[in-house]
């Protein structure tokens, strides 16, 4: 029996992969620890989406050099998106001789034999599979929460947005068999899960690799029939594949949460074109209008990149204008970060860092008042909140997510965690709602 520690960097896909790695290690009889000094196996599940994520992995790996010197039997493994890139793998292995094991995003299921081989030979084991068709799909997972779960519905991405490294690290799109997904969610629901988040780089193109006609909305309809399940969420959508059928589903499926995360990235058609996003601001705005016509109370969030190569002041103003026109509940905002290996990395007219930061602040100054105003409209309403945890700042306060995905704080006792309760909203901030518990059962 060994103690293992998994450090996860990046997105929900990586978080869920780490839950699978934990399940595999526990299946081998190992137990988890949060203390590096105690760990016999340390796995870094890496992210390649931005330079900052990579720098953090580099930094933390360096810190482990001394620990490895003191504990030579410690096994240090790296997996995730960075390891799918040969240039990065080679660089890591040349710089960090204390790495024992390297595997990728498509061969998590091979971890037991890779670990065994390392322990028997003492050699550095490197094993990477490029082809997503070889992914072992039905690996169980040690889910962090009993009441909510991530569920992969597909792997990879075929969109090749010019700034994005994901198609090079996660491979080609591959949809899981719908029955496998439904069986997994049924089993989770039987074990107490109330909310599932369907995961994919571009969930809207689910079904394209299946051998029969069956798309994302068909899947949502079938999941909506599962008894005991109360909420369905999904991450991430691509506007070019947002179908009329999916928009209609927001008025049809009672378990589909009234929240749509629809990354726009930019409000300028010129920039959208050079990002290879395959839609215009007009297309995007018309989809938003259609979704709101179906459900006026739906929460809309997005991703926006500031400082993409060639972005002029006018282009950026187009982004600010689009933000005002849509009126986002909130947004993930990013400074454009050069990803070696992507098309945009070679583009001329890279935007100076100073300009990027100035625009970034302008964007936040535009987004936050809109988010606050939309939250203010919820004062006096009653929200169904899935209670997730005790607030980090006050042990008498609980926090949870309303069905529109907004974070809600209210006074309550720990035994409500995992339940959906009714909370009357009486105060709001830019990113959170506050209220009083009015009913222990929604
Ligand atoms: S849709 Fe674009 S941004 Fe999203 S993962 Fe695919 S290539 Fe990257």
């Amino acid at each position: 029996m060994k103690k293992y520690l998994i450090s996860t960097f990046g997105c929900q896909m990586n978080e869920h992969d780490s839950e699978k790695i934990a399940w595999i290690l526990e299946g081998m009889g190992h137990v988890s620890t949060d203390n590096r000094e105690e760990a016999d196996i340390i796995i870094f599940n890496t992210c390649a989406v931005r330079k900052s994520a990579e720098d953090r992995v580099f930094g933390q790996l360096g810190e482990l050099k001394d620990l490895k010197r003191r504990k030579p039997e410690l096994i240090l493994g790296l997996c995730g998106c960075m390891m799918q890139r040969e240039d990065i793998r080679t660089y890591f292995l040349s710089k960090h001789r204390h790495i024992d094991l390297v595997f990728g995003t498509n061969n998590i299921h091979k971890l037991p034999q890779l670990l065994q081989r390392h322990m028997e030979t003492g050699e550095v084991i490197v094993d990477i599979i490029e082809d997503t068709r070889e992914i072992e799909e039905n690996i169980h997972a040690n889910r962090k929460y009993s009441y909510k779960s991530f569920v992969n519905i597909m792997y990879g991405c075929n969109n090749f947005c010019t700034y994005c490294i994901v198609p090079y690290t996660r491979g080609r799109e591959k949809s899981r068999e719908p029955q496998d997904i439904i069986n997994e969610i049924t089993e989770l629901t039987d074990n107490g899960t109330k909310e599932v988040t369907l995961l994919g780089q571009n969930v809207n193109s689910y079904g394209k690799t299946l051998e029969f006609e069956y798309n994302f909305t068909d899947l949502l309809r079938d999941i909506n029939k599962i008894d005991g399940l109360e909420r369905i969420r999904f991450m991430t959508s691509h506007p070019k594949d947002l179908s009329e059928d999916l928009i209609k589903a927001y008025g049809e499926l009672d378990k589909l949460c009234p929240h749509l995360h629809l990354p726009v990235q930019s409000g300028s058609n010129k920039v959208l074109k050079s990002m290879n996003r395959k839609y215009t601001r007009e297309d995007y705005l018309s989809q938003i209008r259609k979704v709101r016509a179906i459900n006026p109370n739906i929460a809309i969030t997005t991703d926006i990149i500031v400082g993409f190569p060639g972005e002029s002041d006018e282009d950026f103003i187009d982004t600010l204008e689009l933000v005002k026109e849509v009126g986002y509940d909130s947004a993930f905002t990013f400074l454009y970060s050069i990803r070696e290996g992507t098309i945009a990395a070679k583009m001329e007219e890279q935007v100076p860092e100073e300009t990027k930061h100035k625009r970034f602040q302008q964007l936040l100054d535009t987004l936050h008042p809109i988010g606050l105003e939309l939250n203010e409209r919820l004062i006096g309403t009653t929200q169904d909140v899935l209670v997730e945890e005790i607030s980090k700042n006050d042990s008498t306060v609980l926090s949870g997510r309303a069905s529109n995905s907004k974070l809600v704080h209210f006074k309550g006792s720990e035994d409500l965690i995992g339940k959906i309760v009714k909370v009357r909203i009486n105060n709001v901030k830019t990113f959170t709602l506050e209220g009083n518990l009015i009913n222990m059962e929604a």
Side-chain angles (χ1 to χ4, degrees):
M1 192 279 292
K2 290 182 183 302
K3 290 193 173 172
Y4 73 86
L5 182 153
I6 303 171
S7 279
T8 306
F9 302 81
C11 67
Q12 292 94 339
M13 294 287 267
N14 261 16
E15 277 180 44
H16 191 36
D17 282 350
S18 291
E19 291 179 334
K20 293 176 183 172
I21 293 168
W23 186 78
I24 289 171
L25 291 170
E26 305 225 348
M28 295 170 73
H30 306 315
V31 294
S32 77
T33 175
D34 293 332
N35 179 343
R36 283 185 179 176
E37 294 291 330
E38 279 181 9
D40 306 298
I41 301 171
I42 294 181
I43 305 265
F44 275 21
N45 188 0
T46 66
C47 166
V49 85
R50 260 172 291 284
K51 188 164 181 327
S52 53
E54 288 190 352
D55 293 345
R56 274 193 296 123
V57 173
F58 277 125
Q60 294 191 23
L61 258 185
E63 289 162 18
L64 288 177
K65 237 186 209 133
D66 174 54
L67 180 62
K68 179 81 178 184
R69 205 173 293 120
R70 288 185 282 115
K71 286 182 70 169
E73 71 287 0
L74 168 67
I75 299 173
L76 179 54
L78 275 78
C79 65
C81 287
M82 284 174 87
M83 292 307 109
Q84 286 293 130
R85 300 196 44 202
E86 189 173 359
D87 55 341
I88 293 198
R89 261 195 328 271
T90 314
Y91 179 77
F92 261 75
L93 290 163
S94 65
K95 280 269 175 253
H96 296 289
R97 302 253 169 235
H98 54 303
I99 297 169
D100 302 298
L101 173 64
V102 170
F103 59 107
T105 54
N106 301 336
N107 62 342
I108 291 172
H109 60 285
K110 290 179 73 178
L111 181 55
Q113 72 220 67
L114 300 176
L115 265 175
Q116 198 58 33
R117 228 165 74 214
H118 169 70
M119 287 194 268
E120 281 161 8
T121 64
E123 286 164 14
V124 176
I125 307 294
V126 179
D127 191 287
I128 298 290
I129 293 178
E130 298 294 345
D131 192 340
T132 49
R133 283 170 298 191
E134 294 187 43
I135 290 178
E136 172 48 59
E137 291 182 4
N138 301 324
I139 303 177
H140 283 269
N142 260 15
R143 290 188 155 88
K144 202 164 163 198
Y145 305 100
S146 59
Y147 50 85
K148 66 172 184 173
S149 299
F150 291 135
V151 175
N152 287 114
I153 64 168
M154 62 187 296
Y155 302 92
C157 184
N158 295 353
N159 287 317
F160 290 94
C161 302
T162 55
Y163 53 83
C164 184
I165 201 71
V166 172
Y168 307 93
T169 61
R170 289 268 174 186
R172 297 292 63 71
E173 279 176 14
K174 177 179 182 258
S175 298
R176 290 180 66 195
E177 292 299 318
Q179 199 51 53
D180 289 344
I181 298 168
I182 290 158
N183 293 349
E184 182 177 340
I185 297 176
T186 305
E187 190 185 326
L188 287 168
T189 309
D190 293 347
N191 295 324
T193 288
K194 291 194 171 54
E195 176 184 292
V196 290
T197 300
L198 310 178
L199 292 181
Q201 306 296 350
N202 173 14
V203 291
N204 300 1
S205 62
Y206 172 82
K208 290 185 179 166
T209 59
L210 296 175
E211 274 153 24
F212 47 93
E213 267 306 302
Y214 189 90
N215 63 30
F216 183 49
T217 316
D218 297 327
L219 180 67
L220 285 175
R221 287 198 179 98
D222 285 337
I223 294 173
N224 197 66
K225 296 174 191 147
I226 297 175
D227 288 339
L229 184 67
E230 299 192 38
R231 289 179 166 186
I232 306 169
R233 299 185 185 282
F234 57 82
M235 203 73 157
T236 296
S237 286
H238 193 300
K240 82 172 182 32
D241 297 313
L242 185 70
S243 66
E244 301 287 329
D245 211 15
L246 178 55
I247 291 175
K248 265 198 295 184
Y250 276 104
E252 188 191 301
L253 305 181
D254 59 327
K255 297 173 184 173
L256 183 57
C257 288
H259 168 226
L260 173 63
H261 182 69
L262 195 64
V264 68
Q265 306 300 5
S266 172
S268 151
N269 284 338
K270 184 194 95 189
V271 173
L272 287 171
K273 192 153 180 23
S274 71
M275 283 178 165
N276 190 31
R277 290 291 288 173
K278 303 185 184 89
Y279 54 83
T280 63
R281 64 176 283 130
E282 291 74 21
D283 300 334
Y284 185 90
L285 290 169
S286 100
Q287 287 176 324
I288 297 293
R289 279 191 291 276
K290 286 180 190 156
V291 172
R292 285 219 168 106
I294 295 278
N295 181 343
N297 299 321
I298 193 167
I300 305 230
T301 58
T302 195
D303 295 347
I304 297 173
I305 294 175
V306 170
F308 185 79
E311 182 188 71
S312 64
D313 288 345
E314 293 69 34
D315 295 324
F316 180 62
I317 290 166
D318 285 346
T319 297
L320 294 181
E321 291 308 316
L322 179 134
V323 162
K324 291 176 197 158
E325 190 161 345
V326 172
Y328 288 109
D329 290 82
S330 69
F332 295 107
T333 50
F334 309 99
L335 292 163
Y336 171 70
S337 159
I338 293 180
R339 301 288 64 219
E340 290 312 326
T342 63
I343 294 164
K346 297 193 183 65
M347 285 181 182
E348 305 292 317
E349 300 180 85
Q350 295 286 338
V351 176
E353 286 304 311
E354 196 202 330
T355 308
K356 281 186 199 171
H357 285 278
K358 196 167 91 334
R359 289 177 183 165
F360 190 77
Q361 193 52 52
Q362 269 181 286
L363 177 61
L364 298 185
D365 296 345
T366 306
L367 281 164
H368 292 170
I370 296 172
L372 178 61
E373 197 220 317
L374 290 169
N375 283 351
E376 280 162 352
R377 293 181 195 169
L378 298 174
I379 291 177
T381 66
T382 298
Q383 299 290 326
D384 292 344
V385 176
L386 174 53
V387 186
E388 297 194 353
E389 56 192 3
I390 294 175
S391 161
K392 294 181 184 56
N393 316 324
D394 180 340
S395 61
T396 66
V397 170
L398 297 174
S399 72
R401 295 271 168 191
S403 58
N404 58 20
S405 195
K406 291 185 187 270
L407 191 58
V408 183
H409 294 311
F410 62 98
K411 286 201 177 300
S413 55
E414 194 174 347
D415 61 331
L416 293 176
I417 291 178
K419 293 201 170 67
I420 299 182
V421 299
K422 285 193 179 303
V423 176
R424 169 91 30 76
I425 305 304
N426 54 23
N427 187 30
V428 300
K429 295 194 173 88
T430 305
F431 302 113
T432 58
L433 313 179
E434 292 161 12
N436 295 328
L437 180 64
I438 56 168
N439 192 324
M440 307 253 206
E441 285 302 326

